[in-house]
Amino acid sequence: MSVPYQRLTRIDARWRWWRPLVALAFLAGWYLVSQVLIVIAYTIPVGATSGAEGLIDFEQKLSSGALDPTDPLTLSVSLVSLVVLLPGIVLAVRVAGLGRGVLSSVRFRVRWGWTAWCLVPTLVIAAIMFFMQALYPLGDGMITGDGWNHAAIGQSTVTLSTLVLTVALVVVLVPFQGAAEEFVFRGFLMQTVASWIPRRAGTITAVAVSTVVFALLHIPNGYNVWGILDVGSFGLIAAIIVLRTGGLEATVLQHAFNNIMIFVLQAPGWSRIDLQSQDANGTPGGWLVSLGTSLAYWGMVELLAKWRGLDRRFAGHQAPRFRGPVPAWAGGPRWTQPGGAGWDGTPAHAAGTAGSGPADDAGRADGAGPVDGVGAVDTTAGVAGRS
């Protein structure tokens, strides 16, 4: 028996249908409070240094919803407002009692060894993206054999200090921004939907809901239909990679490097590249490039996972639905925490529901003989530990 990533929350016998809603409510409250605090933290110094005009300009830039890679201030606000979702979703899952580490992988933690191996296909795709966007995009490249192609891109419109600050912000914040979006959409959202709907229908629905919601939430950023298709394709393939690898490591790296490449290439603010144009919000060619690189990344991750013998599923059982009061012997982390024994080694009534029986001092059901006339109790844990 084994459990796929999208059903991990169901190995905890405390799971109930309403727990994900508690997590969602906590995350919503966390997000609203954090946004207020972020705005206050930024507007006070802006108002003190730039006055009313500076505040009006700052608020207009924020209300536009676009991530401007040439303005370190508004870029940092936009990124930080997303980064705070990462601790928020981790805490939300814990508060709701859905398990510790359940979003990371089927090992209930980040698999750092696997993450390091995933850097290989990530860097390959990053190099391809750089070539497609900078050296030879569908037209004149940004770089020629003699240096920058100023005939195509014009001059940089930002100072060197602004450029350095922007790149530093991107390198520091974007990995956490990418991780936050992966934990929310490919982690929490997919696990929630799949925990409500069983079997293959639940998996398909979870992928569809995650992909559609992820794409629709990018509409305020000004994306056109090709931009939304681009984002949707990225989200769809990322969801499949998560299911195929049993964790978020590969897609966090993919998301982070993808965004870093985009922001770094746009950071100089080339005078002949209009980031507000229709083409900047999505083109058929851009969508095809994104789709192709995502498929290539998936293929390389699949080959790498097969070569490394990646553990893609949790080697244990889902906990059956418990009906009735929790028996005295079922208390404690051994029975209720992910990776513990669950209900698999407990005595059962004829109806198939967990029942009470003798317990030793360790809180484990006594398997020496019949319990409540049901027969010998199977004391096999049935669930692998979280090593």
Side-chain angles (χ1 to χ4, degrees), residues 261-315:
M261 290 295 300
I262 292 173
F263 287 135
V264 168
L265 288 173
Q266 293 177 350
W270 306 110
S271 57
R272 295 187 183 179
I273 297 179
D274 184 5
L275 296 181
Q276 304 301 320
S277 68
Q278 187 68 11
D279 285 349
N281 296 324
T283 63
W287 169 56
L288 289 175
V289 169
S290 179
L291 178 61
T293 53
S294 293
L295 289 172
Y297 183 75
W298 174 19
M300 287 187 285
V301 168
E302 282 280 1
L303 292 175
L304 191 59
K306 183 176 181 180
W307 176 55
R308 299 300 303 169
L310 181 67
D311 187 3
R312 308 180 193 221
R313 296 168 69 95
F314 175 71

Side-chain angles (χ1 to χ4, degrees), residues 188-208:
F188 173 73
L189 188 53
M190 285 212 306
Q191 286 187 347
T192 294
V193 175
S195 70
W196 286 336
I197 307 172
R199 299 181 178 87
R200 183 173 297 179
T203 300
I204 294 174
T205 305
V207 170

Side-chain angles (χ1 to χ4, degrees), residues 43-371:
T43 54
I44 291 178
V46 169
T49 57
S50 304
E53 290 186 3
L55 277 177
I56 294 173
D57 181 60
F58 179 62
E59 291 175 359
Q60 288 177 343
K61 290 180 179 179
L62 290 181
S63 62
S64 68
L67 293 172
D68 185 357
T70 65
D71 186 341
L73 183 62
T74 56
L75 178 64
S76 65
V77 175
S78 301
L79 291 177
V80 169
S81 67
L82 295 173
V83 168
V84 295
L85 287 173
L86 183 56
I89 191 59
V90 172
L91 283 174
V93 168
R94 292 290 304 279
V95 168
L98 293 173
R100 177 184 299 179
V102 72
L103 298 179
S104 298
S105 75
V106 292
R107 289 288 187 179
F108 298 94
R109 58 177 172 79
V110 176
R111 298 168 294 184
W112 292 110
W114 169 242
T115 303
W117 279 107
C118 286
L119 280 172
V120 176
T122 301
L123 292 174
V124 171
I125 295 300
I128 294 174
M129 286 182 61
F130 180 77
F131 175 81
M132 297 299 295
Q133 296 186 46
L135 297 177
Y136 192 71
L138 304 176
D140 292 330
M142 297 177 67
I143 302 174
T144 65
D146 298 324
W148 294 115
N149 184 3
H150 292 292
I153 61 178
Q155 301 290 330
S156 172
T157 59
V158 301
T159 63
L160 179 61
S161 59
T162 298
L163 178 59
V164 171
L165 178 58
T166 300
V167 172
L169 286 172
V170 167
V171 172
V172 172
L173 294 177
V174 166
F176 295 101
Q177 172 253 328
E181 293 188 19
E182 292 302 310
F183 269 69
V184 171
F185 294 102
R186 257 68 71 182
F188 173 73
L189 188 53
M190 285 212 306
Q191 286 187 347
T192 294
V193 175
S195 70
W196 286 336
I197 307 172
R199 299 181 178 87
R200 183 173 297 179
T203 300
I204 294 174
T205 305
V207 170
V209 170
S210 169
T211 301
V212 171
V213 173
F214 180 67
L216 292 180
L217 288 179
H218 282 76
I219 291 179
N221 290 338
Y223 287 90
N224 58 22
V225 63
W226 295 111
I228 295 301
L229 281 175
D230 189 326
V231 172
S233 299
F234 180 92
L236 173 62
I237 296 173
I240 296 173
I241 292 174
V242 169
L243 299 183
R244 293 291 299 161
T245 60
L248 298 174
E249 298 93 344
T251 58
V252 167
L253 284 177
Q254 179 193 23
H255 201 146
F257 271 80
N258 177 79
N259 288 6
I260 286 174
M261 290 295 300
I262 292 173
F263 287 135
V264 168
L265 288 173
Q266 293 177 350
W270 306 110
S271 57
R272 295 187 183 179
I273 297 179
D274 184 5
L275 296 181
Q276 304 301 320
S277 68
Q278 187 68 11
D279 285 349
N281 296 324
T283 63
W287 169 56
L288 289 175
V289 169
S290 179
L291 178 61
T293 53
S294 293
L295 289 172
Y297 183 75
W298 174 19
M300 287 187 285
V301 168
E302 282 280 1
L303 292 175
L304 191 59
K306 183 176 181 180
W307 176 55
R308 299 300 303 169
L310 181 67
D311 187 3
R312 308 180 193 221
R313 296 168 69 95
F314 175 71
H317 301 272
Q318 289 185 193
R321 292 296 302 275
F322 178 80
R323 297 193 296 273
V326 179
W329 47 257
R334 170 172 172 73
W335 296 101
T336 60
Q337 294 293 333
W343 300 113
D344 296 287
T346 67
H349 291 303
T353 59
S356 59
D360 57 22
D361 293 337
R364 171 185 273 178
D366 182 6
V371 178

